[in-house]
Amino acid sequence: MRAATTIEAASLGTWDHQRIFVSEAEKMGLDICWVAEAWGSDAPSALGYYAACTDRMLLGSGIIQLGTRTPVAIAQAAVTLSNLSGGRFLLGLGASGPQVMEGLHGVPFAKPLGRMRETIDIIRQAIAGDRITYTGKQFQIPMPGGDVKPMRLSMRAEHEIPLYIASLTPAMLRLTGEVADGWLGTSFVPEGADDAYFAHLDDGLGRSGRTRADLDICQGAEVSFARDEAQLKTMIDARKSELAFSLGGMGSASTNFYNQAYSRQGWADVAAAVRERWQAGDRDGAAALITDDMILATTLIGTADMVRDRLQVWCDAGVDTVRIYPAGDTIEERFTTLGAAIDLVHSINR
């Protein structure tokens, strides 16, 4: 398996701290560094800086959010980052959610599936060096009604640019299997993955005449090492409020993809109750409903032996790349956890 991590530039302090983090992570053997946008720093700017600070590891946008840029602007950023990094760039796209799209960017979140498909079609035209012409429900290029002509980018892609989709819903998972090179997943429970995720991915793969071997299954989870069971219990309890926020507060009042994902993996009643209490303002009550099993099933926390065993379960379930979110109160603690986790990931064989 490959070892990856996801960072957000704004969370790493100064740019000098970021340079140290990515360069040291590369020395530790990290295979991929994904860069998130969320509602902080943008991904492409940070990726360009990280490309200058590294020599070997792959760098990916995890994710560029649909609606924040036109498809051609995404293609321009992808080609630029790929060329300047010597072919080390991976393009990760995601629909985000209504709160960020509509609440922060002021653009509609409606019809994310159609927007994703059309965006990818246009991006691939642009990357291929073709004149860009597209007539869809979301985009029309060139704009109709004028006397403009189709254009192509003046810069050519010097390397292949693998495309990943961050997806949780069945429809977006099917699209991922159909058109993407990789899947950026989360809220992953290997014991329930066949019905919740893989059945939909395989459906999409079948539509394009491909198999699971043609898709990089990239899953992420927090990694933290406990000395003993007492410390592990403390770690579990400390994470219940965060999971309650994901199930109850992420997205909008009507749309929460994390809640839906947990519901499909056996916790529908708990997820519904957590959301109800969270929306009612009872944050502590929502967190109290989170079970220990829910934390352990979707994270990689425990003793070193527990984490190694869990990684093997992930590998056996079909995970190709593990996105490590190293726990720690300081950058030194995060480095220690990251290094140990990279070694464990690389030690796992399918």
Side-chain angles (χ1 to χ4, degrees):
M1 289 198 298
R2 295 190 300 181
T5 194
T6 297
I7 61 176
E8 184 183 353
S11 69
L12 288 179
T14 67
W15 286 103
D16 193 49
H17 288 157
Q18 296 172 48
R19 176 185 57 79
I20 294 170
F21 186 91
V22 296
S23 60
E24 289 300 314
E26 182 178 60
K27 293 175 185 177
M28 290 177 181
L30 190 72
D31 298 299
I32 309 170
C33 181
W34 294 95
V35 179
E37 282 191 336
W39 43 91
S41 60
D42 76 287
S45 298
L47 283 161
Y49 179 64
Y50 301 156
C53 300
T54 55
D55 300 304
R56 174 195 56 80
M57 71 181 179
L58 301 175
L59 300 164
S61 58
I63 54 167
I64 287 178
Q65 303 165 100
L66 299 188
T68 60
R69 302 165 181 83
T70 68
V72 175
I74 295 174
Q76 288 176 298
V79 173
T80 302
L81 288 166
S82 178
N83 288 357
L84 69 83
S85 67
R88 293 187 289 130
F89 176 66
L90 309 174
L91 174 58
L93 300 174
S96 190
Q99 178 58 51
V100 173
M101 288 297 97
E102 298 178 359
L104 180 63
H105 292 286
V107 297
F109 179 72
K111 301 180 179 178
L113 186 69
R115 185 181 293 271
M116 178 69 79
R117 182 182 289 276
E118 293 189 16
T119 295
I120 291 172
D121 288 344
I122 296 166
I123 286 173
R124 284 183 165 155
Q125 271 194 43
I127 289 175
D130 299 336
R131 292 188 183 277
I132 304 164
T133 61
Y134 198 82
T135 302
K137 295 181 178 179
Q138 304 289 329
F139 302 101
Q140 296 186 56
I141 304 174
M143 286 187 64
D147 58 359
V148 295
K149 298 179 180 179
M151 296 177 62
R152 59 166 56 96
L153 297 183
S154 61
M155 180 172 58
R156 297 291 179 265
E158 299 168 0
H159 313 273
E160 290 188 9
I161 303 176
L163 189 146
Y164 287 65
I165 297 177
S167 51
L168 284 172
T169 66
M172 196 68 82
L173 287 163
R174 285 191 289 271
L175 181 65
T176 301
E178 183 179 351
V179 304
D181 300 298
W183 171 44
L184 295 172
T186 187
S187 306
F188 181 76
V189 181
E191 292 83 359
D194 284 344
D195 291 335
Y197 297 118
F198 289 137
H200 310 297
L201 288 170
D202 290 342
D203 186 10
L205 286 164
R207 294 179 187 180
S208 59
R210 302 190 300 163
T211 67
R212 195 89 60 80
D214 299 307
L215 189 72
D216 180 27
I217 306 297
C218 181
Q219 279 297 327
E222 181 185 0
V223 179
S224 186
F225 296 102
R227 293 186 304 272
D228 49 39
E229 291 188 6
Q231 187 184 29
L232 176 58
K233 178 59 177 173
T234 300
M235 289 179 173
I236 292 171
D237 291 341
R239 285 153 178 81
K240 291 183 177 180
S241 294
E242 183 178 350
L243 181 53
F245 167 68
S246 295
L247 300 181
M250 287 291 285
S252 67
S254 60
T255 305
N256 184 318
F257 299 125
Y258 298 97
N259 191 290
Q260 294 169 13
Y262 273 82
S263 295
R264 295 199 307 272
Q265 295 178 102
W267 290 295
D269 292 341
V270 175
V274 168
R275 184 173 185 176
E276 181 179 355
R277 290 203 181 185
W278 188 277
Q279 293 293 328
D282 184 6
R283 308 296 197 253
D284 292 338
L289 294 174
I290 302 295
T291 67
D292 291 2
D293 286 346
M294 293 175 73
I295 300 295
L296 290 173
T298 53
T299 62
L300 293 166
I301 66 173
T303 64
D305 287 341
M306 289 174 63
V307 174
R308 182 185 297 107
D309 291 344
R310 196 63 182 162
L311 281 169
Q312 187 65 60
V313 172
W314 278 38
C315 183
D316 293 342
V319 175
D320 302 298
T321 302
V322 179
R323 293 195 319 281
I324 300 162
Y325 302 107
D329 295 328
T330 66
I331 192 168
E332 290 80 10
E333 291 177 355
R334 293 172 65 187
F335 271 138
T336 300
T337 300
L338 180 63
I342 290 171
D343 290 342
L344 283 179
V345 171
H346 288 164
S347 73
I348 300 298
N349 295 308
R350 182 156 295 169

